[in-house]
Amino acid sequence: MRTQTYANHRTIPPVYLVAGVAILTWAGYNLYYAVLNPSCGAWLAAVGTTALLPVWFAARRNSQKMQDRIIRLEMEVRLARLLPGRDLAALTLGQLVALRFASDREMPALVERTLQGEFASADAIKRAVTDWQADWQRV
């Protein structure tokens, strides 16, 4: 099994990229054709394929939003186990998403550093993780 690190944790599924390129190419061709050969059918094809672009974008974004909700719940349960009685309501979703990569051993210290405002961004939190816990199921 490959090791996940900060350097390789961000990926975009190849099928998503291929679909985006195909839709964009198709829409571009239909727009080009409609300009050169204007007709109702040509413009309908151009508008129809162009309308697929926001659908393509929303398909991935909606999956990510659902995963963010699941990560929030997972991290609330995990932090309640690791830091019982600690008020963690100040942690933002971005911070929780970044903290999920930390091991249980280093989590309490990273949470404290986060709550003290030591990290300027979620990216800074991920860079501070030394014992990276992989998440291969992220969309």
Side-chain angles (χ1 to χ4, degrees), residues 6-138:
Y6 174 82
N8 70 4
H9 81 286
R10 289 181 186 233
T11 62
I12 298 177
V15 69
Y16 181 76
L17 289 176
V18 170
V21 169
I23 292 169
L24 190 59
T25 303
W26 189 25
Y29 171 79
N30 283 336
L31 284 169
Y32 177 76
Y33 184 82
V35 168
L36 292 181
N37 304 297
S39 70
C40 185
W43 281 106
L44 187 60
V47 170
T49 53
T50 303
L52 290 175
L53 288 169
V55 173
W56 167 77
F57 177 77
R60 179 167 165 84
R61 187 64 200 123
N62 288 344
S63 297
Q64 288 174 324
K65 287 169 117 177
M66 180 58 72
Q67 283 192 324
D68 287 346
R69 292 180 66 152
I70 293 167
I71 289 169
R72 180 192 317 257
L73 178 60
E74 174 189 349
M75 287 303 294
E76 286 175 0
V77 170
R78 187 174 171 203
L79 292 174
R81 178 178 50 84
L82 293 172
L83 303 166
R86 182 75 164 95
D87 182 20
L88 303 170
L91 292 172
T92 67
L93 176 60
Q95 291 169 330
L96 290 171
V97 170
L99 285 166
R100 83 183 192 281
F101 292 111
S103 67
D104 286 354
R105 183 178 39 80
E106 68 180 328
M107 181 71 70
L110 282 173
V111 168
E112 288 306 318
R113 291 171 63 191
T114 302
L115 290 171
Q116 291 170 6
E118 184 176 327
F119 301 114
S121 66
D123 188 67
I125 296 169
K126 288 190 267 187
R127 288 179 184 273
V129 173
T130 56
D131 185 11
W132 194 273
Q133 303 301 299
D135 180 6
W136 294 111
Q137 297 177 358
R138 179 78 172 164

